[in-house]
Amino acid sequence: MRRSVWVSALVVVLLGGGAWWVMHKKPSSQQQAGPMGGPGGGPGGPGGPGGRRGGFSVPTVAVTPVVLADMPVYLDGLGTVQALNTVTVKTRIGGQLTKVAFTEGQTVKAGDVLAVVDPRLYQAAYDQAVAKVAQDQAQLANAKLDLERYRALAAEKYGTQQTYDTQKATVAQYEATLKYDQAAVETARTNLDWTVTRAPIDGRTGLRLVDAGNIVSSSDSTGVVVITQMQPISGTFTLPQQQLDIINEHLLKGDTLTVLAVSSDGHQLDKGTLATLDNQVDTTTGTIKLKATFPNKDNRLWPGGFVNMRLLLEVKPKLAVVPASSIQHGPNGTFVYVVQEDNTVTPRLVTVILNEGDKTALSDGLRVGERVVVNGQDRLQDGAKINIAGAAPAAGTAAPGAAGGQTGEHRRAGAAAGEGQPGPEGEHHRRRNQGGQPGGDPAQVPQGTPAQGATPPSNGQGGTPR
């Protein structure tokens, strides 16, 4: 019984010692020498490119230089497009609509015929008024002749003064009647003209509101059609009342402020100018309403539509500008990664004064021409080595993706160049074909290595059997 206990204890000790020896076995000299002379960096070794444990890769990032540029200052607000003029066209007189002379959606000019009402009754009334004027003119001419006779008789004492005065009053009466009937002619002529309904403004017709054959009148609420002026067109938008002072400052100086109409996907629809401000602040929202005018030559702005309005206040010249993607935020403030001459990066605090789209303007922290990292910042730290996208990897650094095995493209390129950077599958293939240490360079393997399938030597020093 005591003998079996000692045998079991001995087996446990031997197994533990063997496990400790395997875990703490020192790598060979080829495994210890890395590409930069550091430990664990040998190609194919545990810490080198293509190794299975402890590998690292130098990140490839995009960089861009700091440039000097002018930056616009915009105030943004949500706006609504409004027509400068909208008219509901109605007939001026009543009657049967005999003709609709427009098509829906047609662009019309002021004076174009839109509809026609049956003119026969109005033509007859006009003719009657003209005839009445002719009658009045004849009566007035006769009365004037009589007045001249009575005047001559009264002068020769052959007629009385009373007869002369009566005839003079008769002439004045006929003159007044003539003027009255002439006014009636103008009324009849106007009514006759109104049987033809014309466009009062330039614009675009909407949907037809009445069909030919219907009885229409000037008191109808719907009318015939609605015409909307499209060119030019206006847009109203709101801004916080805190911006009122700076806007008024520019207007008092006589500046013409530019306003951009922008769609929801960021495309510019039109470019106009600020027309006016409202005369009071909306107390419920604390905003001020502004109105801009746009030429709308391409009819890209439509009445009633919502658009983003961008009021250009000024353009700040010669600012240090970087891509917005380069800006990072940390516990110490806003910073960027600056690329040094040796392709290492260092974080640097900056002060952002203006953002516009994908550009950011800085007041201090960077000099024009310095390079900043614009992507991949999450893989960087102070002093980290980088490869610049589009440039050859820095000398003595591992290519991206080397740790833990590379992509097939890189593995094939490394194998063809003899750089010893295959991943685990390539390592296994090399061991089968060369019989050497996984990290060994094929050019350094001595002659007489074991054939394919042979057992690798236990010392792992180049594969030469002892």
Side-chain angles (χ1 to χ4, degrees):
M1 181 67 179
R2 184 184 297 274
R3 182 181 180 88
S4 63
V5 172
W6 280 103
V7 170
S8 300
L10 181 60
V11 171
V12 171
V13 171
L14 291 176
L15 292 175
W20 181 90
W21 181 83
V22 171
M23 295 178 62
H24 294 79
K25 180 182 177 181
K26 293 183 177 180
S28 63
S29 59
Q30 290 182 352
Q31 290 174 307
Q32 292 177 348
M36 298 296 293
R52 298 172 183 250
R53 294 183 293 110
F56 74 94
S57 64
V58 176
T60 297
V61 297
V63 302
T64 188
V66 181
V67 298
L68 197 65
D70 299 339
M71 286 285 286
V73 180
Y74 286 103
L75 298 179
D76 296 337
L78 180 62
T80 305
V81 180
Q82 294 181 347
L84 285 179
N85 295 291
T86 300
V87 178
T88 300
V89 179
K90 300 180 180 181
T91 58
R92 305 291 295 273
I93 45 88
Q96 186 178 31
L97 192 65
T98 60
K99 181 181 180 181
V100 175
F102 67 93
T103 57
E104 296 172 325
Q106 176 184 348
T107 299
V108 296
K109 299 292 184 180
D112 289 350
V113 177
L114 301 179
V116 177
V117 174
D118 187 356
R120 290 175 294 179
L121 290 178
Y122 300 97
Q123 181 67 51
Y126 172 74
D127 294 341
Q128 185 178 3
V130 170
K132 185 65 171 65
V133 167
Q135 179 184 2
D136 293 339
Q137 289 173 341
Q139 290 176 342
L140 176 61
N142 183 61
K144 286 181 177 181
L145 292 175
D146 289 343
L147 178 62
E148 183 62 25
R149 295 189 188 100
Y150 291 143
R151 184 189 64 79
L153 292 173
E156 296 294 334
K157 303 299 182 177
Y158 292 113
T160 63
Q161 185 66 31
Q162 180 180 3
T163 305
Y164 172 75
D165 292 340
T166 301
Q167 188 61 31
K168 186 176 179 180
T170 302
V171 170
Q173 181 181 355
Y174 283 140
E175 288 177 342
T177 302
L178 177 61
K179 291 181 179 179
Y180 179 85
D181 290 339
Q182 285 176 338
V185 169
E186 293 299 324
T187 301
R189 180 185 291 114
T190 300
N191 288 335
L192 182 60
D193 290 341
W194 283 352
T195 60
V196 178
T197 302
R198 301 180 183 273
I201 61 172
D202 296 348
R204 180 186 175 94
T205 62
L207 301 180
R208 187 174 66 251
L209 303 178
V210 66
D211 298 325
N214 286 279
I215 302 298
V216 295
S217 68
S218 58
S219 61
D220 291 342
S221 59
T222 56
V224 178
V225 69
V226 176
I227 298 179
T228 302
Q229 182 177 348
M230 303 290 292
Q231 300 173 352
I233 204 166
S234 65
T236 59
F237 60 104
T238 57
L239 291 175
Q241 64 178 6
Q242 291 79 4
Q243 307 292 348
L244 184 58
D245 288 341
I246 189 171
I247 297 174
N248 272 328
E249 180 181 343
H250 286 279
L251 294 179
L252 290 176
K253 291 189 297 184
D255 296 342
T256 300
L257 299 182
T258 300
V259 180
L260 303 181
V262 182
S263 64
S264 58
D265 57 359
H267 291 86
Q268 180 176 321
L269 300 177
D270 206 349
K271 179 179 180 179
T273 57
L274 182 65
T276 186
L277 301 174
D278 199 358
N279 58 1
Q280 58 184 349
V281 174
D282 189 340
T283 57
T284 59
T285 60
T287 57
I288 184 71
K289 185 177 292 185
L290 303 91
K291 187 174 184 180
T293 303
F294 302 91
N296 199 29
K297 293 181 179 179
D298 299 328
N299 286 338
R300 301 186 68 184
L301 297 178
W302 214 253
F306 291 98
V307 293
N308 296 315
M309 300 289 188
R310 310 200 70 196
L311 175 62
L312 177 61
L313 283 181
E314 59 180 326
V315 177
K316 293 185 176 294
K318 298 180 180 180
L319 298 179
V321 178
V322 297
S325 59
S326 66
I327 302 299
Q328 302 295 304
H329 302 279
N332 296 326
T334 304
F335 68 95
V336 297
Y337 280 106
V338 181
V339 181
Q340 307 296 327
E341 293 183 359
D342 58 353
N343 279 7
T344 60
V345 296
T346 181
R348 188 181 300 174
L349 294 176
V350 295
T351 302
V352 176
I353 59 173
L354 186 60
N355 289 300
E356 174 53 35
D358 59 352
K359 298 178 181 179
T360 298
L362 309 175
S363 62
D364 53 37
L366 291 176
R367 297 187 304 273
V368 175
E370 288 188 301
R371 299 177 298 170
V372 296
V373 179
V374 296
N375 66 4
Q377 292 95 331
D378 55 335
R379 297 176 293 168
L380 303 180
Q381 58 183 354
D382 190 7
K385 194 79 173 179
I386 63 167
N387 286 329
I388 299 176
T397 60
Q406 298 175 326
T407 62
E409 184 72 22
H410 291 159
R411 285 198 298 268
R412 289 192 296 272
E419 294 175 354
Q421 294 181 353
E425 297 180 0
E427 185 68 22
H428 177 69
H429 180 74
R430 177 176 292 214
R431 292 179 60 185
R432 289 179 54 87
N433 287 277
Q434 297 177 357
Q437 193 67 18
D441 192 338
Q444 297 177 353
V445 177
Q447 298 294 328
T449 55
Q452 181 176 354
T455 303
S458 59
N459 57 9
Q461 301 294 326
T464 304
R466 295 184 181 276

